[in-house]
Amino acid sequence: MNMAEFLARAARACGERPAISYGEAVHCTYEEFARRAGSMAGFLREYLGMKPGDRVAITMKNCPAFLEVLYAIWHAGCCALPVNAKLHPKEMAFILENAGARSCFATSDLMGTVSPLADEIETLESVMEVDTPEYRAIQSREAIPIEPRAPDDLAWLFYTSGTTGRPKGAMLTHQNLHSMSLSYFADVDPVSENDCILHAAPLSHGSGLYAIPHVYKGANNIVPESGGFEPPEIFRLIEAYPGLAMFAAPTMVTRLIQSEAIRDADTTNLKVIAYGGGPMYLADLKKAMEALGNKLVQVYGQGESPMTITVVSRERHVDTAHPRFEERLASVGVPHTVVEVRVVDAGDNTLPPGETGEVLVRGDVVMKGYWNNPEATASALKGGWLHTGDVGVMDEDGFLTLKDRSKDLIISGGSNIYPREVEEVLLRHEGVQEVSVIGRPHPDWGEEVMAFVVPRDGGGVSEEELDGLCLEHIARFKRPRAYRFIEALPKNNYGKVLKTALREMAEGESRENGG
Ligand code: AMP
């Protein structure tokens, strides 16, 4: 099983169909895509001397060449190492070195960062810029046959976003990506060669993973010319392409519906937005459904079980007649078809419905382990189950609701407080744009609740109003004891709020105050 076989299959079945588009122009057909992958694989193996299993890095912003290089790497039997283009140069260097990358393909904007690494990192022998005459030349070499791969062979080394500590490389095999693709068809959206996916989110992460099921079916992969996420461009591309799917972080969905461009946009062509990667607050979700209609599917996954743990289907987003409709909307849904999910106590014993514990996952989509890190692998995969580090609760119907990462849990006076619950309440205030709640050390209570609030432009919001809202909706002990109004929340490159940075800000304040 080699992911490249599915590209070859698509090239045979619908070779003349567009495979990759750049904005509204066809970049290559399936026949051309598969041929290029074979030629570039020849370059990797014969010219660069890469061996099966060698790690080849992709440090590129979103562009058509990303997918060409990805499939060339698989065709050659190597392991892809896609690196988020927005990382700090030091973080990039760490990942390339940790993975022992032997070669790297980069977009021109990143050459200045990546080329010098060839001198610093012992394993790194070559860095090649894409979209140059030399790059195009390697696409016309003679193609080599696809290197056979076992299901357990590595396909993608996926570095976790590292909101705490150093990122770790989750080893994703060809089998893992195959299971993820089958689950996409079963649980997220069926795909045909008349459909397409718009890569508005980083290809090094969820959007790139979701390219795979689309290649299986010969669907078009559209890369925005901006290489990023610009709502007016997104709406223009939606109008140009029928049957369009898109992966988006919750913050992207919110930006889309808050953008001016949505007013005149015709979103008929939009088939599905799969959103996930972080919590979607109920208030935002309702606004998105009002603006876009029945096109939303929520996915909960993590690098270690790519895009595939639980899902809320399109149908469940609009099942308003169900007595627990709201709870289900606020949940992350039911397990994907290809996995088992349970919630356990500290001894890994399954908890009854309604009780909160760590979320465990088992199935063919779960990673093989962490690269070169047997201790982390042993603890993450203890007993054959992936320990996600996420805290959640399963209801009687099998719907999982995530609380928070265990490290974000606040313990005040011996009581557990889930920041998400407090955040949901504060977001009900019209004047609140964004909010994040953390625990700060307290001499008597252990921790106390503190809220960082980003006010909406011209919204007007006061501490008293927010306190009143909390008194109305949640237990008194969960109320924030301190508020800080700030311009923006610290976020990582995937838009996840960095609670660690907020905790540091809070500690800094208390040191200044002699606490
Ligand atoms: P990453 O490995 O970088 O994709 O991060 C995965 C983490 O993001 C998960 O372990 C969750 O904590 C969080 N996450 C992913 N999807 C969701 C979702 N739908 N709702 C809430 N949190 C999510």
Side-chain angles (χ1 to χ4, degrees):
M1 175 191 294
N2 184 329
M3 286 295 110
E5 292 286 0
F6 294 93
L7 170 57
R9 231 189 243 188
R12 284 193 294 274
C14 44
E16 73 300 341
R17 302 281 306 171
I20 307 176
S21 295
Y22 195 38
E24 292 181 43
V26 175
H27 173 78
C28 64
T29 63
Y30 267 95
E31 193 274 317
E32 289 163 332
F33 186 10
R35 191 163 36 74
R36 286 178 195 180
S39 304
M40 289 162 64
F43 172 78
L44 282 168
R45 295 291 300 274
E46 290 161 4
Y47 187 81
L48 294 182
M50 297 292 123
K51 308 228 165 10
D54 280 349
R55 276 78 54 219
V56 179
I58 307 179
T59 54
M60 295 187 199
K61 64 172 193 204
N62 280 10
C63 65
F66 191 110
L67 293 170
E68 294 173 349
V69 173
L70 182 67
Y71 276 85
I73 293 170
W74 289 335
H75 193 116
C78 297
C79 170
L81 172 67
V83 183
N84 180 352
K86 289 192 193 143
L87 289 184
H88 188 279
K90 282 191 184 148
E91 296 170 306
M92 259 188 204
F94 171 82
I95 290 175
L96 264 63
E97 179 153 34
N98 187 268
R102 279 192 70 196
S103 75
C104 176
F105 287 78
T107 36
S108 58
D109 54 320
L110 289 167
M111 283 303 284
T113 304
V114 184
S115 313
L117 296 181
D119 296 329
E120 290 167 31
I121 298 175
E122 216 182 295
T123 53
L124 189 61
E125 294 160 19
S126 64
V127 177
M128 173 143 204
E129 182 177 339
V130 296
D131 291 332
T132 57
E134 295 76 37
Y135 174 76
R136 278 184 282 279
I138 64 171
Q139 296 190 327
S140 42
R141 288 173 64 99
E142 195 163 330
I144 60 167
I146 295 175
E147 178 73 27
R149 296 276 77 193
D152 210 24
D153 283 331
L154 295 199
W156 184 316
L157 204 48
F158 187 108
Y159 275 76
T160 55
S161 47
T163 44
T164 49
R166 287 288 206 181
K168 295 188 285 286
M171 296 189 282
L172 302 180
T173 64
H174 288 269
Q175 172 69 62
N176 293 155
L177 299 181
H178 186 55
S179 290
M180 178 202 72
S181 301
L182 297 184
S183 216
Y184 184 89
F185 305 136
D187 304 310
V188 179
D189 192 40
V191 181
S192 87
E193 65 192 62
N194 299 322
D195 296 326
C196 61
I197 177 163
L198 176 58
H199 295 295
L203 279 163
S204 57
H205 210 78
S207 217
L209 287 163
Y210 273 175
I212 302 167
H214 288 82
V215 169
Y216 272 44
K217 297 290 183 176
N220 194 357
N221 287 272
I222 299 146
V223 183
E225 283 167 297
S226 68
F229 179 74
E230 308 284 346
E233 182 184 32
I234 301 296
F235 286 119
R236 229 181 19 256
L237 291 171
I238 290 175
E239 284 180 20
Y241 289 102
L244 184 139
M246 186 169 123
F247 169 70
T251 45
M252 290 167 62
V253 178
T254 311
R255 272 183 61 200
L256 266 190
I257 55 165
Q258 283 176 354
S259 98
E260 291 272 318
I262 197 167
R263 282 207 216 124
D264 312 313
D266 176 355
T267 54
T268 321
N269 281 341
L270 180 65
K271 187 160 67 123
V272 61
I273 295 187
Y275 66 92
M280 174 71 138
Y281 296 103
L282 198 53
D284 290 336
L285 177 57
K286 285 186 175 166
K287 283 185 202 144
M289 282 162 49
E290 237 167 68
L292 299 170
N294 180 18
K295 304 192 170 177
L296 292 153
V297 172
Q298 181 182 189
V299 289
Y300 157 51
Q302 60 175 203
E304 293 83 345
S305 183
M307 311 302 276
T308 313
I309 300 176
T310 60
V311 57
V312 184
S313 66
R314 245 180 311 226
E315 293 72 22
R316 293 214 161 104
H317 273 84
V318 290
D319 188 13
T320 48
H322 196 280
R324 284 182 296 289
F325 171 64
E326 289 249 332
E327 283 109 296
R328 288 182 168 192
L329 265 194
S331 80
V332 289
V334 296
H336 278 83
T337 309
V338 298
V339 291
E340 296 167 81
V341 176
R342 58 194 184 106
V343 171
V344 300
D345 65 13
D348 278 5
N349 306 301
T350 302
L351 288 167
E355 285 191 29
T356 303
E358 185 176 6
V359 179
L360 305 194
V361 187
R362 183 165 73 174
D364 282 348
V365 72
V366 170
M367 67 163 182
K368 191 173 175 176
Y370 291 115
W371 176 256
N372 265 349
N373 198 337
E375 299 86 56
T377 301
S379 82
L381 297 180
K382 193 164 48 133
W385 289 79
L386 170 68
H387 291 61
T388 61
D390 289 318
V391 175
V393 55
M394 194 77 95
D395 71 11
E396 293 277 356
D397 307 342
F399 283 68
L400 179 72
T401 298
L402 285 188
K403 296 294 185 179
D404 283 278
R405 305 282 300 170
S406 37
K407 65 182 166 45
D408 292 332
L409 179 73
I410 303 169
I411 305 179
S412 187
S415 301
N416 288 355
I417 301 169
Y418 295 101
R420 168 100 189 248
E421 195 187 348
V422 185
E423 289 161 359
E424 291 273 10
V425 171
L426 298 173
L427 273 170
R428 289 171 182 238
H429 194 295
E430 273 302 315
V432 174
Q433 166 105 22
E434 280 190 301
V435 68
S436 186
V437 164
I438 57 151
R440 71 171 178 188
H442 186 276
D444 301 326
W445 303 109
E447 282 185 299
E448 66 175 359
V449 180
M450 182 172 186
F452 287 83
V453 177
V454 180
R456 197 179 292 284
D457 278 347
V461 54
S462 69
E463 267 185 41
E464 291 69 34
E465 286 165 357
L466 292 176
D467 198 47
L469 203 54
C470 290
L471 283 172
E472 211 179 306
H473 296 286
I474 44 174
R476 298 183 76 89
F477 73 91
K478 297 180 183 171
R479 283 149 61 219
R481 299 302 147 129
Y483 286 93
R484 293 291 173 270
F485 293 91
I486 54 175
E487 263 177 36
L489 294 173
K491 291 185 184 156
N492 73 6
N493 290 308
Y494 297 111
K496 284 188 215 268
V497 175
L498 291 169
K499 295 213 177 209
T500 320
L502 293 175
R503 281 190 282 265
E504 280 164 12
M505 275 162 75
E507 275 167 31
E509 267 185 27
S510 82
R511 266 196 306 276
E512 272 168 31
N513 299 333

